[in-house]
Every structure is written in C-alpha cells, then in structure tokens.
Amino acid sequence: MTTLVGLVLAVVLLLVPGWLLAADFKLKLPTGLQEDAAQIPDDNPITAEKVALGKKFFWDERLSASGTVSCAGCHRPDHGWSDPRTFSVDFAGQPTPRHAPTIVNRLFSDLQHWSGLRASLETQAGLDVNKTDEKVVANLGAVPAYRQEFRAVFGRELEPIGVAQAIAAYVRTILSGSSPYDRFQAGDRSAMSEAAQRGLRLFEDKAMCVRCHAGFNFTGEGYRNIGIGMNKPIPDLGRYEVTGDDADRGAFKTPTLRDVARRGPYMHDGSERTLADVVAYYNRGGVKNPWLSADMKPLELTVEEQSDLVEFMKALSGEIDPAVSRPPVLPK
Ligand code: HEC
Ligand code: HEC
C-alpha cells in the first residue's frame, strides 16, 4: 500500500510543471537590506526560472518595437544601473525627457519613475519600451527558445503580460547592499574611513539629509521639491503631472543613495555632474521656488564637511553580484 502511495506521489510530482513547484524560491538579500520591506505582488512570485528568462529579455534588443534598444542600454550594470549620458537615446532616436535613474533596490518600492507614474515594476516593464503588444509577441515569439522557456515558466503561450512579469521578477533581484557602510553598522569599525564616519554624522545631523534619504535604503520613498530645474523657463513639474496636486509641483522621487558613487550624472535632469556638485547644491539651499521643501535650507558646511559627506556616500557602494550583472547568452 505505502509503495503504491509513494508511486502515485512520484508520478504526480513528475507531472506537475516547474512553475507550480518553484514557489518556494528564496531571495537572498545582501547585508543591510530589510526583507520585510520587499514588495512582491501575489500574482508574480519570484522563481529562479522566471528571473533567468527576465534577465534575457532585459538584455535583448528584440524587446523593443524597433529592435534597437534594450533595458541594459539605458540602465547599465557597469554604471550603477543608470546611464552616463545626461539623457538616454530612445528607440526612435530621440533623447528621453528625463535622466535614466538607477534601478537598484526597486524590490523595496511599488511606484516607479521620478514622478511615480508607473504603479508597479510590471506596468513599468510592460509600457516603457514596447509601444505595441503585437510587436513583443512577434519579435520575441519568433525565437523558439523563448517560446519554450516562457511555456515552462508560465504554463501558457508567450504573451506581453508574462514578458513584463519576467522582467519585473529579474529587476527585483538587482540589489545593492553589503557596502562598507553595512559592514561598519554590523560592527566592523575599520570598514569606513574617519572621513566617511564624520560624513555619516553630518548626513544624520547638521546636513539634514536623513529628513528625506531615510532608512536602510536611504529613501523615505517620498516625492519632494528640492528645486532642481525650477529656474528653467518651463520647469518639469514631476509628481504634479501624476497627481494634479499643487503641493506636488516640482516634486520628484527621493532616490536611494545606495551605489550612488557609481552612477553620475545626478538628478532627474542629470544636471549635477559629480557628488561634490550635489553637496554644493544642497549647501546653497537649492533653487528657491514657491514649492521648495521646508527641509531645504542653506547648510553652511565647511569645505571639509562637504568632502566628508562625499566620502560617506562613496561608502554606500554595494558588493556586485556577477550572477545578476553579467550579460546573459541570448538565444538565436
Ligand atoms: C531609452 C532609455 C531607456 C530604456 C531602453 C529603458 N529605460 Fe528604464 N528608464 C529610463 C528613464 C529615462 C527613466 C525615468 C523615466 C521618468 O521618470 O520619467 C526610466 C525609469 C525606469 C524605472 C524606474 C526607476 C525608479 O526608481 O523609479 C525602472 C524600474 C526602469 N526604468 C526599468 C527599465 C526596464 C526593465 C527596461 C526594459 C524593459 C527599461 N527601463 C528600459 C530610460 C530607459
Ligand atoms: C527635502 C528632501 C531632501 C533632502 C533634505 C535631501 N535630499 Fe537628496 N534628493 C531628494 C530628492 C527629491 C532628489 C531627486 C531630485 C530631483 O531629481 O529633482 C534627491 C537626489 C539626491 C541625489 C542624486 C541621486 C541620483 O541618483 O541622482 C543625491 C546624491 C542626494 N540627493 C544626496 C543628498 C545629500 C547628501 C543630502 C544632504 C546634504 C540630501 N540629499 C538631502 C530629496 C532630498
């Protein structure tokens, strides 16, 4: 009897497709990141196979309608997952209206974009590169290996929602942690230089950076007006374009500062070239405008204090996981 039950069980297990069994995939977080802050939608659990497929889509120019642009072209793994160009060039050969932000630690936010326009990583991946769903299916569906892998992961034929879900699952594995700062916090006092330690104290106290760049991911996920671009003839109104709320004029998402030293230029318009430029900007108190955050004040930092802040931010560069950032082999 027991052998019969065992036999039946074995047969059932063999027949259940991989996508049902893979539900117990465990995401390994680097030191310093908080598991309870992860945002993973119930209808898109992370599995190893889905992440592997999403990684290929991320690198594959056939994802774009024109077949000329991939996610990795603008979010470069070797540049802190951002773009060294002030503005990227999109699939139509046009500059993007805003600077490409980093995509590290997106696991910890729901809303995406400088203005929070996209409700999730799934909608972001679905809408930002492809203008037509037919093109996705035509371009990617023409690759036999993709059709087969997609069926193995989702249990259905290749279609755009699953493509976006796979990409979102991969993006959730692009993490930054285990930095010198994290080792310092874990008790290794030699992990950060004296200058970086002074910078940390300034960050939390005199320079008031924590008012917005708060918590383990160095962002409170809030939208704030710090004055960037507000002196242009027609300023980008950022969050206001999404909410229509006057208080949101010129407000942009507070970005994570993890990996920040790897990814200049900075801000939604790429207007600050270096971290020293950014600190000098805050030291001036930003650009005055009617919606400037009350937390923006001239800081009166000395030259040494400014450089200490920069040293502190350099200590936020995380360990690089080659399994995530190495380009995949794309199927023919
Ligand atoms: C042509 C360059 C370009 C390509 C290609 C591109 N992006 Fe982006 N990405 C941007 C820009 C620019 C923004 C900022 C848009 C905004 O805020 O208005 C952005 C924003 C994002 C964000 C939001 C980050 C945040 O902190 O809010 C994510 C996530 C993202 N992209 C992932 C992807 C993925 C995944 C792909 C491929 C499906 C992709 N991007 C393709 C330029 C690009
Ligand atoms: C009032 C809230 C607020 C305070 C205070 C604040 N920041 Fe920011 N920070 C932001 C917002 C919002 C942005 C994005 C602004 C934009 O692009 O328009 C930003 C952007 C940045 C960037 C660019 C990151 C990138 O990926 O482009 C750096 C670096 C930075 N802040 C460091 C600091 C430091 C250092 C301090 C303290 C001296 C500080 N911030 C204080 C809200 C704040």
Side-chain angles (χ1 to χ4, degrees):
M1 185 64 192
T2 39
T3 34
L4 190 69
V5 172
L7 204 75
V8 170
L9 250 176
V11 170
V12 167
L13 280 177
L14 275 174
L15 288 178
V16 174
W19 52 272
L20 276 182
L21 286 177
D24 54 359
F25 177 79
K26 192 96 178 71
L27 200 59
K28 218 164 63 277
L29 294 190
T31 318
L33 306 186
Q34 281 173 17
E35 198 171 334
D36 57 4
Q39 306 264 355
I40 303 172
D42 291 340
D43 62 356
N44 192 24
I46 300 182
T47 70
E49 295 76 12
K50 197 189 285 176
V51 168
L53 181 60
K55 181 177 182 183
K56 290 178 202 162
F57 290 154
F58 187 89
W59 254 271
D60 201 326
E61 293 175 345
R62 289 171 289 190
L63 178 71
S64 67
S66 61
T68 58
V69 170
S70 74
C71 312
C74 297
H75 301 285
R76 301 189 191 175
D78 60 356
H79 195 75
W81 301 89
S82 170
D83 196 330
R85 299 169 291 185
T86 304
F87 298 107
S88 314
V89 177
D90 70 11
F91 67 87
Q94 296 300 314
T96 52
R98 294 183 184 137
H99 175 64
T102 184
I103 54 168
V104 300
N105 294 354
R106 299 295 76 226
L107 174 66
F108 307 110
S109 354
D110 47 0
L111 305 187
Q112 306 297 326
H113 276 204
W114 286 107
S115 61
L117 177 67
R118 302 286 186 231
S120 67
L121 283 176
E122 282 74 10
T123 35
Q124 186 283 320
L127 294 174
D128 281 3
V129 176
N130 290 290
K131 298 301 172 211
T132 66
D133 286 352
E134 294 76 25
K135 277 274 187 193
V136 187
V137 177
N139 289 5
L140 299 178
V143 183
Y146 279 155
R147 288 204 302 275
Q148 193 196 336
E149 267 186 67
F150 190 98
R151 265 196 305 270
V153 171
F154 292 101
R156 55 178 192 265
E157 293 305 312
L158 191 144
E159 47 70 45
I161 292 175
V163 170
Q165 287 182 324
I167 295 173
Y170 167 62
V171 171
R172 289 194 177 95
T173 68
I174 301 173
L175 298 169
S176 172
S178 303
S179 63
Y181 163 80
D182 297 301
R183 291 201 298 279
F184 179 79
Q185 291 296 72
D188 176 0
R189 305 319 274 181
S190 68
M192 279 202 322
S193 67
E194 292 288 332
Q197 293 182 38
R198 288 194 302 269
L200 169 58
R201 286 192 291 275
L202 289 162
F203 189 88
E204 291 178 335
D205 185 19
K206 183 177 175 188
M208 304 189 296
C209 314
V210 281
R211 298 233 177 143
C212 304
H213 297 280
F216 76 94
N217 200 25
F218 296 89
T219 170
E221 296 290 332
Y223 297 81
R224 312 292 289 268
N225 176 319
I226 63 165
I228 298 286
M230 290 307 284
N231 46 4
K232 290 183 186 149
I234 308 172
D236 183 341
L237 294 181
R239 184 73 178 146
Y240 172 80
E241 289 175 2
V242 177
T243 64
D245 184 345
D246 263 334
D248 286 335
R249 283 180 190 265
F252 290 85
K253 178 195 273 181
T254 308
T256 177
L257 295 184
R258 288 188 175 272
D259 270 357
V260 73
R262 294 192 172 128
R263 63 165 184 264
Y266 300 103
M267 307 297 178
H268 74 270
D269 58 358
S271 58
E272 300 296 335
R273 211 171 52 80
T274 66
L275 287 178
D277 295 339
V278 169
V279 172
Y281 176 85
Y282 281 111
N283 202 34
R284 294 192 296 274
V287 169
K288 283 221 167 50
N289 70 87
W291 305 279
L292 185 66
S293 162
D295 290 327
M296 292 292 291
K297 298 260 158 57
L299 300 174
E300 285 161 28
L301 301 171
T302 66
V303 173
E304 201 207 3
E305 286 173 328
Q306 294 185 50
S307 113
D308 289 345
L309 268 176
V310 171
E311 287 309 306
F312 165 63
M313 285 192 274
K314 287 188 191 160
L316 297 177
S317 292
E319 244 169 36
I320 292 185
D321 181 353
V324 177
S325 60
R326 197 188 305 116
V329 178
L330 299 179
K332 291 257 173 353

